[in-house]
Amino acid sequence: MTYEFKLPVRQQEVVRLIALGDYAAVRDTIHQLGAIGYADLDRWTKLMPTGREGEYISIHTRRYAPAAD
């Protein structure tokens, strides 16, 4: 006898968080979001200068499956 097992198909949703500001503020915000469990520290991009004096940017991509209906 053969059993067929199918997992439910769920689409992943994506949210991108953008932290933009001076280096220390962006770094501190990233750590605060990690401390409360909202945004994993290892999912942020490396802090990069924007070209404006003293301004940096980092982007976090969060993927999750929407809640079942």
Side-chain angles (χ1 to χ4, degrees):
M1 181 175 264
T2 304
Y3 293 95
E4 188 173 321
F5 180 76
K6 292 185 180 181
L7 292 172
V9 177
R10 284 192 166 174
Q11 298 296 327
Q12 282 192 345
E13 296 187 8
V14 175
V15 172
R16 286 194 176 82
L17 306 175
I18 300 170
L20 180 69
D22 68 59
Y23 188 90
V26 172
R27 185 195 62 221
D28 291 348
T29 298
I30 288 169
H31 285 281
Q32 288 174 7
L33 290 171
I36 64 171
Y38 186 78
D40 295 333
L41 294 177
D42 61 346
R43 293 207 177 254
W44 287 93
T45 62
K46 181 177 163 183
L47 270 87
M48 299 171 285
T50 64
R52 293 180 178 165
E53 188 174 336
E55 187 178 71
Y56 289 81
I57 188 170
S58 184
I59 301 170
H60 180 283
T61 301
R62 183 176 181 178
R63 289 182 174 84
Y64 62 95
D69 293 333

